[in-house]
Amino acid sequence: MGDAVSYKDLGLVNSRELFKKAVDGGYAIPAYNFNNLEQLQAIITACAETNSPVIIQVSKGARSYANETMLRYMATGAVQMAREMGSDIPIVLHLDHGDSFEICKSCIDSGFSSVMIDGSHLPYDENVALTKKVVEYAHQFDVTVEGELGVLAGIEDEVVAEKSTYTQPDEVEDFVKKTGVDSLAISIGTSHGAYKFKLKEGEEVPPLRFDILEECEKRIPGFPIVLHGASSVVQAYVDLINQYGGKMDGAVGVPEEQLRRAAASAVCKINIDSDGRLAVTAKVREYLANDPGEFDPRKYLGAARKELIELIKHKNEAVLGSAGKG
């Protein structure tokens, strides 16, 4: 790519002010992943209509899927679209799970306003060193940085882990001090993907480790904490997928009331990806099953987009508490 571009010229904001207000206000900013036009339109439409600040986020996989230059222009278009809808909501463009200094730098140079450097799979000291290096680069351009301590189980794009390792509260203070990060993703029992927990018949989903969250809050009071892998895996969508020829057995997520409780405390960013994927897939399957002669992608993707808007509005209002905070 040619010359570096600043996110400020694209109408984006970093997450600093947003997180401060969310910590004080007892809600969380939604972070929705997108890979294509329909997803992005749905996110912007739903957040504009509920007047919610939003973090639109892109994984490494999404960058290779959609093309990084194309994505940047889509984000610019998203801001303009919100403004034309008469909405002034703050929009952050965030790199989700950057795994190297190079990818973080490349995103910062191409107009991202926030990046995550995920060194959680590395030994502690290496995680600190890598995170600090990204922070030092990002802060020159007023870009905010999210780090991660502890490992989430599950699968999301290139991120794969067999089992989760809970965040050690006694490390968070040291990590934040040494790295200078702006927010911290912690592991308290959420996990990536649609199969978060392997439950036996009649078993309940294990509750989130609020004790770890509270302990972290004590160590770094008022510091923005992030939850990854926080889809609730809406059962109605799983059922629709299965009803119309899909095969998803035992997909379960984090109950919404637990996420609401987390959002009301120190958690000020909640990542939601799988729920959006499920909504889209459920509606596409349903549409094509009911109208097997249809071959116009606008029809079935339009139905998917409409459902995604409803899902996101629900999350902003009932789960994150971010509606009306734009």
Side-chain angles (χ1 to χ4, degrees):
M1 243 189 77
D3 295 339
V5 57
S6 166
Y7 68 87
K8 292 173 183 174
D9 299 332
L10 306 181
L12 297 158
V13 298
N14 69 25
S15 60
R16 200 169 291 121
E17 266 313 292
L18 270 61
F19 286 170
K20 201 177 156 323
K21 287 180 179 163
V23 169
D24 295 343
Y27 60 95
I29 309 289
Y32 297 113
N33 291 67
F34 75 98
N35 315 271
N36 66 16
L37 174 72
E38 288 78 11
Q39 286 173 308
L40 185 55
Q41 287 172 322
I43 295 165
I44 294 300
T45 302
C47 290
E49 288 180 3
T50 51
N51 188 25
S52 167
V54 66
I55 296 169
I56 51 176
Q57 58 183 21
V58 173
S59 65
K60 186 179 166 188
R63 281 183 99 217
S64 57
Y65 175 80
N67 176 280
E68 53 196 71
T69 305
M70 176 73 101
L71 274 179
R72 187 188 101 206
Y73 284 99
M74 281 172 76
T76 314
V79 174
Q80 296 307 322
M81 176 181 157
R83 302 305 170 245
E84 279 171 19
M85 289 176 72
S87 172
D88 257 347
I89 54 166
I91 300 171
V92 176
L93 177 62
H94 175 74
L95 168 69
D96 187 24
H97 287 291
D99 57 358
S100 67
F101 172 77
E102 289 69 30
I103 189 172
C104 290
K105 179 182 186 303
S106 156
C107 285
I108 293 163
D109 294 346
S110 71
F112 278 61
S113 57
S114 173
V115 294
M116 176 194 192
I117 178 66
D118 181 0
S120 61
H121 52 284
L122 298 168
Y124 181 78
D125 291 337
E126 287 175 39
N127 186 0
V128 168
L130 176 60
T131 305
K132 185 172 195 276
K133 186 179 178 188
V134 171
V135 167
E136 282 169 355
Y137 186 77
H139 282 182
Q140 299 175 74
F141 305 98
D142 203 21
V143 167
T144 41
V145 181
E146 175 183 327
E148 179 162 350
L149 264 184
V151 178
L152 271 68
I155 297 176
E156 174 187 69
D157 286 356
E158 279 82 18
V159 187
V160 181
E162 282 305 308
K163 62 179 195 2
S164 53
T165 317
Y166 290 122
T167 301
Q168 305 293 317
D170 49 357
E171 288 179 352
V172 295
E173 204 173 345
D174 182 64
F175 186 82
V176 165
K177 201 159 70 218
K178 282 184 178 155
T179 58
V181 283
D182 301 287
S183 63
L184 184 65
I186 65 170
S187 172
I188 59 168
T190 53
S191 65
H192 290 134
Y195 299 91
K196 299 189 189 300
F197 310 103
K198 291 186 174 46
L199 301 180
K200 296 183 185 70
E201 194 59 47
E203 252 189 335
E204 291 282 301
V205 169
L208 295 182
R209 293 287 303 273
F210 283 99
D211 55 325
I212 296 177
L213 177 59
E214 278 157 25
E215 202 44 54
C216 289
E217 239 183 305
K218 275 198 195 102
R219 308 288 169 106
I220 44 173
F223 192 82
I225 290 173
V226 177
L227 274 194
H228 283 245
S231 283
S232 57
V233 184
V234 180
Q235 229 39 56
Y237 294 145
V238 176
D239 294 345
L240 266 185
I241 288 170
N242 290 340
Q243 184 186 336
Y244 291 108
K247 193 169 179 355
M248 291 190 71
D249 302 326
V252 277
V254 183
E256 290 192 337
E257 57 277 8
Q258 294 210 24
L259 296 172
R260 185 69 198 98
R261 181 180 160 192
S265 69
V267 172
C268 63
K269 171 180 183 256
I270 288 182
N271 290 15
I272 297 170
D273 188 4
S274 295
D275 279 341
R277 294 178 180 190
L278 290 168
V280 166
T281 303
K283 284 297 163 182
V284 169
R285 279 192 176 276
E286 179 185 51
Y287 195 99
L288 293 175
N290 289 328
D291 194 349
E294 187 53 73
F295 66 97
D296 181 350
R298 292 174 300 188
K299 294 284 175 58
Y300 52 84
L301 292 177
R305 182 176 66 192
K306 188 164 174 266
E307 188 60 39
L308 195 48
I309 290 171
E310 290 311 307
L311 171 76
I312 291 170
K313 285 169 124 178
H314 164 73
K315 295 283 183 194
N316 293 351
E317 287 162 356
V319 184
L320 295 126
S322 63
K325 310 289 194 211

